[in-house]
Amino acid sequence: MPVISFANSKGGSGKTTSALVIACELAEAADVILIDADPRRPLIGWSQLSKPPAGLRVVSSGGEKTIQDEIEDAAAEAPFVLIDLEGMASQLATFAMTASDLVIVPAQEQHQDAQAALDTLGAVKRAGRAARREIPAAVLLTRTRAAVKSRTARHIGDQLRKLEGVHVIGPELVERDAYAALFSSGGGLRQLDPQEVNGIEKAILNATAISKEIIKILRGGQEATA
Ligand SMILES: Nc1ncnc2c1ncn2[C@@H]1O[C@H](COP(=O)(O)OP(=O)(O)OP(=O)(O)O)[C@@H](O)[C@H]1O
Ligand SMILES: [Mg+2]
């Protein structure tokens, strides 16, 4: 029944990619409903390319007036509900965060992304205050280099990890062709053609590691409050 939102007010930080990769991974073991709450409907578009993996259903949100009902209905139907939000602060995003058991804040190791991640963590905290509960939140570093990182990238990751009250998920969503390829081919990582896409196995291992940590956070095994 956990509800997980993917939020960062900065566009292009990796929300949709992370939401999709993690949704596919969780769908290996349980039913997942992925709510596409971005008016541009990137995940609805993805779901129309080819058959989504069994266990994963993508639904479109009708917007801020209906998102709360949509989340409640989805949570009654599936063990996992994931919500992909658009890249800007909005009432819809606040409603989704307030209904979430965990807000994942994807961020690239760039100054603007990190800054927007902190703004988003602040928004999660305020939503929690209004709801009189603490809403767990965690940063997921995205599009990171598998090999040697630049000094700037390392510095930004280190700075985020040092901040009190900020939890950064250990495994990062490394920059891989396989993740980008999902949006042109449809399906999940396991449906990609190894003749056409490199590094599928590594991409799956990476997705599994991230999903495991998310489950751990949801079970309360890790301090994750913004
Ligand atoms: N780990 C990754 N490996 C390769 N490409 C990636 C990865 N993460 C994101 N991308 C690419 O980066 C771009 C932006 O990612 P994505 O659409 O997930 O960001 P977003 O935060 O959802 O953006 P928006 O705010 O516009 O909704 C896309 O072209 C996507 O394919
Ligand atoms: Mg997106």
Side-chain angles (χ1 to χ4, degrees), residues 31-155:
D31 284 344
V32 178
I33 295 179
L34 183 51
I35 301 179
D36 186 344
D38 181 337
R40 287 173 307 156
R41 306 276 174 258
L43 290 168
I44 293 291
W46 166 83
S47 72
Q48 290 165 348
L49 289 172
S50 78
K51 202 166 168 270
L56 174 60
R57 187 148 61 89
V58 184
V59 299
S60 168
S61 169
E64 68 177 46
K65 291 190 179 138
T66 52
I67 187 74
Q68 290 159 311
D69 287 334
E70 289 154 4
I71 293 173
E72 214 172 286
D73 292 349
E77 265 185 68
F80 287 99
V81 178
L82 274 59
I83 307 154
D84 178 36
L85 296 163
E86 71 177 314
M88 58 189 275
S90 65
Q91 187 68 18
L92 188 155
T94 305
F95 287 153
M97 288 173 184
T98 307
S100 292
D101 299 286
L102 174 64
V103 178
I104 293 182
V105 183
Q108 296 188 37
E109 289 167 313
Q110 291 171 2
H111 180 73
Q112 282 173 312
D113 270 47
Q115 195 52 53
L118 295 180
D119 290 347
T120 306
L121 290 174
V124 177
K125 200 160 197 166
R126 289 193 296 279
R129 255 179 98 170
R132 292 175 176 276
R133 72 175 180 102
E134 219 160 336
I135 302 169
V139 174
L140 172 65
L141 293 174
T142 60
R143 292 194 86 169
T144 60
R145 287 233 206 125
V148 186
K149 291 192 188 211
S150 70
R151 270 181 66 175
T152 313
R154 253 200 338 265
H155 178 71

